[in-house]
Amino acid sequence: MKPILTVMLAMLSISLFAQDKEDKFPASATELYLDVPVVTPGSNNEPPSDAIVLFDGKNLSKWKKETKDSLPGWKIENGELVVVPKKGGIATKQSFGDIQLHIEWMSPVMKGETGQGYANSGIFFMGKYELQVLNSHGNETYSNGQAGSIYKQYAPLVNASRPPGTWQEYDVIFTAPKFSEKGTLVSPARITVFHNGVLIQNNVSIWGNTSFKGLPKYTKHDEKLPLALQDHTDPVRYRNIWVREL
C-alpha cells in the first residue's frame, strides 16, 4: 500500500474513533452553569443598571479640578457640561482602572477656526492617555490628532464625525496598563473606541503617556486613577457621561 494512502486511512480511523467516543458523551457534559450577574440595559438613552453616572445634567458632584481638590470651573447649561476656557481641566473624584465609558460631546460652530483650533478638547483615561475630541467634519489636521485618534499615536480607522453643532458619541473599552513591583511595564494600556456607533480603534495598544512633543513613554502609576476632561480653551459641550467598572 502506498504511504500516503496508509496515512489517509489512519487519519480516517482516528477521526471515526474520536467521533464514536464523542457520541457517548451527553450534551450536558459541555454545558456550564455559572452565577452570571444580571444587568438591566438602559432605554431611551439611559445608562445600564450597574453604571456609575458621572454626569446626568444636574450637577458636578462627581468632579473636581484636575490639578487640585477644589470645585471644577466648568458650567452647566440646559443640562449640558460646558468647558469654560482657561479654567483648567476637570477630573473625576473617583479613580478607575479598566472601564467601559459612554460619553457624548458637541463641537460648537466656530467660524474662522481650522485644524487643532476648531473645538479642541480631550478625554484622558487615568489622566494620562488621551482620546481626542475635535471638530473633524471637513476640518483638516494631522491624522493622529483628529477626532477619535489616540492623540499623536493612532489615527482612527475611519472619520465618523458629525458636523459641528450636533451631538456625537464615544463608546470605549479601556484596559489599564499593568506594572511590576519594580515599575517595569508588564502589559500596556489597550483601547477600543466606537464613534457614533462606528468602530474607529480596534483594541490598539497604547504606547505610553500622551505627549504633545516627543515620543510617549510609560511611567509606573497607581492601578486606578481619575478620568479627566481637557480644557483646550474651546467651549466644547459634554453630556450623558457614565462608566462601568470591568
Side-chain angles (χ1 to χ4, degrees):
M1 186 179 294
K2 294 182 179 181
I4 189 169
L5 180 58
T6 302
V7 172
M8 291 178 64
L9 288 173
M11 292 177 63
L12 178 61
S13 178
I14 292 171
S15 177
L16 290 173
F17 175 76
Q19 182 66 45
D20 180 63
K21 295 284 287 184
E22 186 175 295
D23 288 343
K24 294 179 181 179
F25 283 98
S28 59
T30 53
E31 295 171 359
L32 296 176
Y33 291 85
L34 304 174
D35 185 16
V36 178
V38 176
V39 174
T40 304
S43 58
N44 299 319
N45 210 33
E46 294 180 350
S49 59
D50 66 342
I52 299 170
V53 178
L54 297 176
F55 180 70
D56 61 2
K58 297 176 182 178
N59 59 62
L60 286 169
S61 62
K62 303 289 181 69
W63 299 83
K64 62 180 183 63
K65 279 188 177 293
E66 185 177 10
T67 56
K68 55 184 177 180
D69 191 14
S70 60
L71 294 175
W74 295 11
K75 61 183 178 180
I76 298 174
E77 291 182 350
N78 302 318
E80 300 162 9
L81 176 58
V82 187
V83 178
V84 177
K86 299 183 180 180
K87 288 290 187 178
I90 63 173
T92 57
K93 293 179 180 178
Q94 184 172 347
S95 293
F96 301 100
D98 301 348
I99 58 170
Q100 174 187 348
L101 167 71
H102 175 87
I103 189 168
E104 300 172 17
W105 56 276
M106 181 195 290
S107 296
V109 176
M110 301 172 65
K111 293 182 179 179
E113 296 293 344
T114 59
Q116 293 290 304
Y118 201 145
N120 195 325
S121 184
I123 301 159
F124 281 78
F125 293 85
M126 309 190 87
K128 298 178 181 295
Y129 314 106
E130 183 184 11
L131 171 60
Q132 175 74 312
V133 171
L134 189 79
N135 169 39
S136 290
H137 184 84
N139 177 39
E140 292 187 7
T141 188
Y142 44 94
S143 300
N144 59 351
Q146 71 182 73
S149 65
I150 307 307
Y151 187 74
K152 289 288 185 82
Q153 297 187 31
Y154 293 95
L157 295 172
V158 296
N159 184 346
S161 297
R162 293 175 177 146
T166 57
W167 284 99
Q168 316 211 41
E169 300 177 4
Y170 281 157
D171 287 286
V172 183
I173 304 297
F174 174 80
T175 302
K178 305 297 186 293
F179 299 91
S180 70
E181 292 183 359
K182 294 182 179 180
T184 56
L185 182 68
V186 175
S187 59
R190 304 190 70 85
I191 192 167
T192 295
V193 184
F194 288 84
H195 185 189
N196 297 326
V198 179
L199 180 66
I200 61 168
Q201 300 288 354
N202 189 9
N203 193 33
V204 297
S205 178
I206 296 175
W207 301 343
N209 297 5
T210 295
S211 299
F212 178 59
K213 294 182 179 180
L215 297 176
K217 63 179 180 179
Y218 279 101
T219 53
K220 187 179 185 298
H221 56 70
D222 293 341
E223 292 182 356
K224 294 186 177 183
L225 289 170
L227 178 76
L229 300 179
Q230 183 186 41
D231 168 18
H232 204 281
T233 73
D234 295 330
V236 175
R237 292 173 176 261
Y238 292 95
R239 70 178 185 185
N240 197 17
I241 308 172
W242 54 263
V243 300
R244 295 180 62 245
E245 293 189 286
L246 304 179

